[in-house]
Amino acid sequence: MLHYANPQHFLSLARRLTPWLLGAALLLLAVGVYLALFVAPPDYQQGEASRIMYVHVPAAWMSMFVYGCMAAASVAAFVFKHPLGDVAAKAAAPAGAVFTALALVTGMLWGKPMWGAWWVWDARLTSVLILFFLYIAYIALWDAIEEPARAARMARILCLVGAVNIPIIHFSVDWWNTLHQGSTVFRMDGPKMPVSMLTPLLIMAIAYTVLFAGLLLVRMRTEILARRLRTLRLNLEGAPA
Amino acid sequence: MRAFAALLRRDIVLSFRSGGGAGLGAGFFVLIIVLAPLGLGPEQSLLQSAAPGLIWIAALLATLLGLERVIEPDLQDGTLDLLRLSSLPLELVVLAKVVAHWLTNGLVICLLAPLVAPILFLKPQALWVLALSLLLGTPGLSFIGTAGAALSAGVRRGGMLLALIVLPLNIPALIFGASAVSAIQRGGDPTQALLLLAALSLIAAVIASLAGAAALRLNED
C-alpha cells in the first residue's frame, strides 16, 4: 500500500494492469451475456423477462460495493493520509452512480411486465434511489469546489457521513414500506436458484467487478495527470514572463 | 463555557438583525401549509390524510432556508479563522451554531405547527403528537443541516448543493415524523415512531458534531 502512495509507482502499475483488466472484463462480459441470453433456461414463472436479472442483480450489487470502496478509500485518505485515497474515491463515484442508475433502469424495465408498473414504492427500489442521490451529492460537491485539495477534504467527510447513514436510511425505508403496504409485491423466497442460472449470474458479477477495477484505474490515472497539468499551468501563470 | 454562551448569543442576535434569517423559515413553513389546500383542493378527508406528510415536508424545507447563513458569513468575514484559533473546541462551535439555528428556526416551527395544522384539518388529538414529533425531530434536522452547511461553505451559489447533501440524509426523520402523526390520527400508537425519531436526532448529534467540526477544520485553501 505504502509503495503505491508514490503516484509514479502507481501510474506505472496502473498502466500495465489496465489493458489486462479491461480485456478480462470484455471476455467475461461476452461469456456472461452468452450464457445469460442463450444457455440459461427461462424462469418457469417469469419466462424470458427473467433474463434482465443477469444485468440487473450484479449492477445492484455493484451500487453497494462501489460505495463501500469509496468509503474505504476515504478512510485511507482521512486516517492514513494516503494520497491516492481521494483520487480513488473521486474516480469511483461516477462508476458507482452509473451502476446504480443501471440497476434502477433495468429494475424498471423488469417491473413493467412483472408488476405492471414502471415504478413501485418498494423498500429496495426506494433505498437504491436514495443511494443514487447520495452519489450525485458526492459528485456535485467535488464539482462545486474549485481547489482540488479542499474539495478532496470536504468530499471525504461527506462520503463517510453517507456511509454511516446508508444503513439508517435503508432501515427506515424498510420500516416505512411495511407500514404503508401490507404485502410486498415480489418475494425472493421461491425455489433455490439452479446452477444453470447461478453460473451466468456469478460470471456477470465478476465481469462487472473487473470492469469497475479497470475503469477505476483509467480514471485514477486521468485524475492524477489532470492534477499535474493543473499544477503546471498554475506555475506557468505564476512565473514571470 | 463562556465562549460557548457568547457565540450562541452572537449567532442568535445576528439572525434577528437585518440580513439574518430568523423569521424566514417559519414564514416559509406557514406559506407551504396555506398553499397546500390550493393545490390539493379543499376536500377535508384528502387534506386530513395528507396533513402529517405535508407538515413534515414543509418543516424539512423550512429548516433548509436558514442554513446558508449559519457558516457561510463566518467564512467570508474571517470569523471562522478566529473560531479555529479560539480555545473552544470546534465540536462545541458546531453545537452552538446548531442550537442557535434550532432556536430561531426549528423551535419556532414546533410552536407554529399546532396553530396552522387545523388549516389542513389535522385531527385535534394529533396536535400534541405533531408538536412532540417536531420537537424531537427538528434538532436532528438542524444538526445534519449545519454539518452540510459546513461542508458546502465557500462554494459559490451553494444553496442547491446544500439541499442535495442534506435532504437525502434527512429522509429517515421525515419518514418517522410523518408516520408518528399519521399513526395517532388513525387511532394507532405513535410511541415507536417517536422513540425512533429521538434516536435519529441523537445519532445526528454525534455524526454532525464530528463531521461539522472536521469540515470547519479543513475548509480552507
Side-chain angles (χ1 to χ4, degrees):
Chain A
M1 272 313 268
L2 274 180
H3 178 66
Y4 294 110
N6 180 337
Q8 206 53 51
H9 292 166
F10 172 79
L11 278 177
S12 69
L13 176 79
R15 207 177 300 125
R16 269 181 285 133
L17 274 181
T18 308
W20 289 103
L21 285 171
L22 290 180
L26 272 180
L27 197 71
L28 282 164
L29 270 179
V31 174
V33 167
Y34 174 74
L35 286 179
L37 293 187
F38 299 105
V39 178
D43 188 86
Y44 79 104
Q45 265 184 327
Q46 303 175 4
E48 301 291 339
S50 71
R51 296 187 194 281
I52 295 176
M53 171 185 86
Y54 301 111
V55 183
H56 171 76
V57 173
W61 285 343
M62 291 306 288
S63 70
M64 305 284 245
F65 176 72
V66 173
Y67 202 95
C69 289
M70 281 165 56
S74 299
V75 169
F78 203 45
V79 180
F80 306 108
K81 309 263 186 246
H82 197 287
L84 291 178
D86 297 317
V87 177
K90 183 188 182 187
V98 169
F99 280 126
T100 314
L102 185 66
L104 283 170
V105 170
T106 50
M108 286 162 84
L109 289 176
W110 179 87
K112 183 63 184 167
M114 289 303 134
W115 295 342
W118 295 109
W119 185 261
V120 181
W121 287 99
D122 170 72
R124 247 189 281 186
L125 268 71
T126 313
S127 33
V128 172
L129 183 67
I130 298 171
L131 182 63
F132 182 66
F133 289 146
L134 287 176
Y135 274 117
I136 299 294
Y138 180 84
I139 296 170
L141 186 63
W142 266 104
D143 282 348
I145 304 176
E146 269 174 51
E147 220 265 307
R150 180 179 182 178
R153 292 191 297 257
M154 295 298 110
R156 250 178 241 169
I157 300 172
L158 179 62
C159 181
L160 292 178
V161 169
V164 175
N165 270 283
I166 284 174
I168 300 176
I169 293 174
H170 186 79
F171 156 75
S172 38
V173 170
D174 266 352
W175 192 86
W176 161 75
N177 191 254
T178 47
L179 196 75
H180 283 245
Q181 275 175 229
S183 63
T184 28
V185 196
F186 171 70
R187 275 182 183 283
M188 257 310 213
D189 45 44
K192 277 189 102 179
M193 199 178 269
V195 182
S196 56
M197 292 167 98
L198 196 60
T199 319
L201 187 62
L202 286 179
I203 291 179
M204 288 296 273
I206 297 169
Y208 276 35
T209 315
V210 177
L211 179 68
F212 167 64
L215 290 177
L216 182 67
L217 289 185
V218 172
R219 288 188 52 87
M220 281 176 75
R221 271 170 64 200
T222 316
E223 175 67 20
I224 292 172
L225 294 177
R227 280 191 194 183
R228 282 196 185 161
L229 200 63
R230 184 176 182 275
T231 319
L232 285 177
R233 255 199 209 120
L234 287 178
N235 286 345
L236 206 63
E237 278 161 17
Chain B
M1 203 57 224
R2 266 178 56 206
F4 180 84
L7 182 63
L8 181 63
R9 212 177 56 223
R10 165 188 174 271
D11 273 17
I12 293 176
V13 169
L14 275 181
S15 74
F16 278 104
R17 295 287 153 80
S18 74
L24 212 62
F28 187 66
F29 175 76
V30 174
L31 214 59
I32 296 180
I33 304 291
V34 174
L35 286 177
L38 299 173
L40 290 172
E43 195 192 330
Q44 179 170 350
S45 62
L46 173 67
L47 286 175
Q48 193 166 57
S49 58
L54 280 176
I55 296 170
W56 257 91
I57 291 172
L60 211 63
L61 296 178
T63 36
L64 274 182
L65 271 192
L67 288 175
E68 263 179 287
R69 312 226 131 263
V70 174
I71 308 282
E72 184 70 30
D74 289 355
L75 186 80
Q76 299 300 343
D77 67 10
T79 312
L80 193 57
D81 293 324
L82 292 176
L83 288 175
R84 281 201 199 100
L85 292 173
S86 78
S87 58
L88 192 65
L90 282 174
E91 282 78 6
L92 287 182
V93 171
V94 171
L95 185 65
K97 298 268 172 201
V98 171
V99 174
H101 178 259
W102 183 74
L103 286 176
T104 54
N105 198 306
L107 181 63
V108 188
I109 290 173
C110 294
L111 297 175
L112 275 174
L115 299 178
V116 295
I119 296 179
L120 300 176
F121 305 107
L122 192 78
K123 287 190 181 160
Q125 71 265 31
L127 286 178
W128 69 271
V129 175
L130 175 68
L132 191 59
S133 74
L134 286 168
L135 210 56
L136 291 173
T138 46
L141 302 184
S142 287
F143 268 109
I144 300 265
T146 304
L151 279 175
S152 64
V155 174
R156 256 171 278 148
R157 290 183 298 280
M160 192 56 217
L161 181 67
L162 185 59
L164 202 56
I165 290 175
V166 169
L167 285 179
L169 300 178
N170 277 339
I171 287 174
L174 171 66
I175 290 174
F176 292 117
S179 65
V181 185
S182 298
I184 181 91
Q185 197 168 233
R186 280 177 293 146
D189 182 11
T191 321
Q192 191 192 9
L194 287 174
L195 289 174
L196 285 166
L197 200 56
L200 282 177
S201 281
L202 290 173
I203 295 171
V206 177
I207 297 173
S209 303
L210 294 175
L216 289 186
R217 207 166 283 133
L218 300 173
N219 201 341
E220 56 186 339
D221 287 325

